[in-house]
Amino acid sequence: MLMSGPAVHPVEAPPPATDVAPPRVRMKDIQGMAGTSGALALRICQFVFAAVSLCVMATTSDFPSVTAFRCDSEFMIHNCDRNFLVLVVSYLVAAVGLQSMWSLSLALADLYALLVRRRFRNTGAVSLFAIGDGITSTLTFAAACASAGITVLIGNDLNKCNLNHCTRFMSATAMAFLSWFAVSPSFILNFWSLASR
Amino acid sequence: MLMSGPAVHPVEAPPPATDVAPPRVRMKDIQGMAGTSGALALRICQFVFAAVSLCVMATTSDFPSVTAFRCDSEFMIHNCDRNFLVLVVSYLVAAVGLQSMWSLSLALADLYALLVRRRFRNTGAVSLFAIGDGITSTLTFAAACASAGITVLIGNDLNKCNLNHCTRFMSATAMAFLSWFAVSPSFILNFWSLASR
């Protein structure tokens, strides 16, 4: 190098110091809390599983007004009005129906929140979501447990399994369990976001 | 009054102004959170209901190693090893057994906390309580729902109810449900106190 004098290296100007306060963070937005894309994915899972469970029961060939197991001689011992099995099936259908409607509504709410780029800050809305999730998940879980117990008892111990019915009933039960698995994180995260504010 | 001069009334000295900061309140201690007398009452309820459920199953006259329904011709269709009913009964016994042990342990912990006049401030301890409550309550609820479905099916639809067994089984199921009702507030309050810190 023949040049004398100091070699001056250009230095990037430091970013101007801002006195503007950073946006106030009220809570961490964990994926899965109401209004996030994770919540939307969970809601869609819940809706799909519950809807599949409902469809499996509804498309049984001899689906009467509300029950999948018709009052046929296969399962009937007493008169049909007092048939407990019909009651449990009706309850399962009602529970997954309620679950699918609830999940669809909240999926739409989450979709709207994502489109307008807002979060649900309203305590009332989040507590409504948490309470509704708690109720629907409890109902779905109870229906799934009861119908699982009854189906396996009929199929395994009593050996009275009309093949078509039992398979459909078990599929619907499995879908109800999967729907419950998807509701649980929603409930826990909504409850968490409610408690942590 | 013949005395002149001002009548001096003794005045209590005002309490000395303290510069000591008031004790820092970290969270509201709602009755039912770990370490309060409400929590102890809830734990005792849980333990009593779960223990009664366990005792009802255990004192069945022909209680085999772990199951209340022996493999008798009343309920047996297949060989006994594959009997699903026995499996559900075993699961109910295991679930309420776990529930009673868990509730007794936490009742002792709450009693200790009350005696030494401390609260559980440790995040790890409270999260352990919340997670344990969540797991045991889910297990108890699932066992209660499944056994309720099976018992009513056997008694109502199949009309195969050995009177003594069915009554005991239903009582145990009802006690398991009551135990779950008592666990739910503990779970919700512990989870709330965990999230709100």
Side-chain angles (χ1 to χ4, degrees):
Chain A
M1 296 286 282
L2 299 175
M3 291 163 63
S4 66
V8 176
H9 298 281
V11 177
E12 282 187 11
T18 54
D19 285 337
V20 180
R24 191 168 159 226
V25 176
R26 293 182 59 186
M27 51 175 282
K28 276 182 279 187
D29 278 322
I30 301 170
Q31 280 298 318
M33 284 179 178
T36 60
S37 52
L40 181 62
L42 276 177
R43 295 292 173 195
I44 290 173
C45 284
Q46 296 161 20
F47 172 70
V48 167
F49 288 133
V52 168
S53 174
L54 195 62
C55 289
V56 166
M57 299 303 278
T59 55
T60 305
S61 55
D62 50 355
F63 186 75
S65 61
V66 71
T67 60
F69 282 85
R70 206 174 47 180
C71 300
D72 52 11
S73 56
E74 186 75 22
F75 293 108
M76 274 311 305
I77 286 89
H78 294 300
N79 59 331
C80 193
D81 296 333
R82 296 182 56 231
N83 197 334
F84 178 71
L85 188 64
V86 171
L87 196 71
V88 170
V89 172
S90 314
Y91 173 51
L92 178 67
V93 169
V96 294
L98 178 69
Q99 181 68 62
S100 59
M101 282 192 292
W102 172 258
S103 297
L104 184 63
S105 314
L106 291 207
L108 293 177
D110 283 336
L111 190 65
Y112 176 76
L114 283 172
L115 287 178
V116 301
R117 296 172 193 282
R118 298 279 184 197
R119 292 283 181 274
F120 288 100
R121 300 290 191 203
N122 187 349
T123 307
V126 177
S127 58
L128 176 72
F129 296 167
I131 293 170
D133 279 338
I135 292 172
T136 56
S137 69
T138 306
L139 290 178
T140 305
F141 187 57
C145 287
S147 63
I150 286 180
T151 313
V152 179
L153 185 81
I154 288 173
N156 191 37
D157 287 11
L158 305 179
N159 210 12
K160 277 190 177 181
C161 203
N162 180 331
L163 184 66
N164 185 37
H165 280 174
C166 265
T167 311
R168 282 176 173 276
F169 202 8
M170 279 191 186
S171 311
T173 304
M175 287 295 151
F177 269 117
L178 287 176
S179 184
W180 173 74
F181 273 118
V183 180
S184 300
S186 286
F187 166 67
I188 289 175
L189 287 168
N190 277 333
F191 194 71
W192 184 277
S193 88
L194 186 67
S196 62
R197 63 181 56 195
Chain B
M1 296 287 281
L2 297 175
M3 290 162 61
S4 66
V8 177
H9 299 284
V11 176
E12 281 185 16
T18 53
D19 285 336
V20 180
R24 190 171 159 223
V25 177
R26 293 181 60 185
M27 52 176 281
K28 276 182 280 189
D29 277 322
I30 301 170
Q31 279 298 318
M33 285 179 176
T36 61
S37 52
L40 181 62
L42 276 176
R43 295 291 172 197
I44 290 173
C45 285
Q46 296 161 21
F47 172 70
V48 167
F49 288 133
V52 168
S53 175
L54 195 62
C55 289
V56 167
M57 298 304 277
T59 54
T60 305
S61 55
D62 50 356
F63 187 74
S65 62
V66 71
T67 61
F69 283 85
R70 206 174 44 181
C71 299
D72 51 11
S73 57
E74 187 75 23
F75 292 108
M76 274 312 305
I77 287 87
H78 293 300
N79 57 333
C80 193
D81 295 334
R82 296 181 56 230
N83 197 335
F84 178 70
L85 188 63
V86 172
L87 196 70
V88 170
V89 172
S90 314
Y91 173 51
L92 179 65
V93 169
V96 294
L98 178 69
Q99 181 68 62
S100 59
M101 282 191 293
W102 173 257
S103 297
L104 183 63
S105 315
L106 291 207
L108 293 178
D110 283 336
L111 190 65
Y112 176 75
L114 282 172
L115 287 178
V116 301
R117 296 173 194 282
R118 299 278 183 197
R119 293 283 181 274
F120 288 101
R121 301 289 190 202
N122 188 348
T123 307
V126 177
S127 57
L128 176 72
F129 296 167
I131 292 170
D133 279 338
I135 292 172
T136 55
S137 70
T138 306
L139 290 178
T140 306
F141 188 56
C145 288
S147 63
I150 286 179
T151 314
V152 181
L153 185 81
I154 289 173
N156 192 37
D157 288 13
L158 305 178
N159 211 10
K160 278 189 177 182
C161 202
N162 179 331
L163 184 66
N164 185 37
H165 279 174
C166 265
T167 311
R168 282 177 173 276
F169 201 9
M170 279 190 185
S171 311
T173 304
M175 288 294 151
F177 270 117
L178 287 176
S179 184
W180 173 74
F181 273 118
V183 181
S184 298
S186 287
F187 166 67
I188 289 176
L189 286 168
N190 277 332
F191 194 70
W192 185 277
S193 86
L194 185 68
S196 62
R197 64 180 56 194

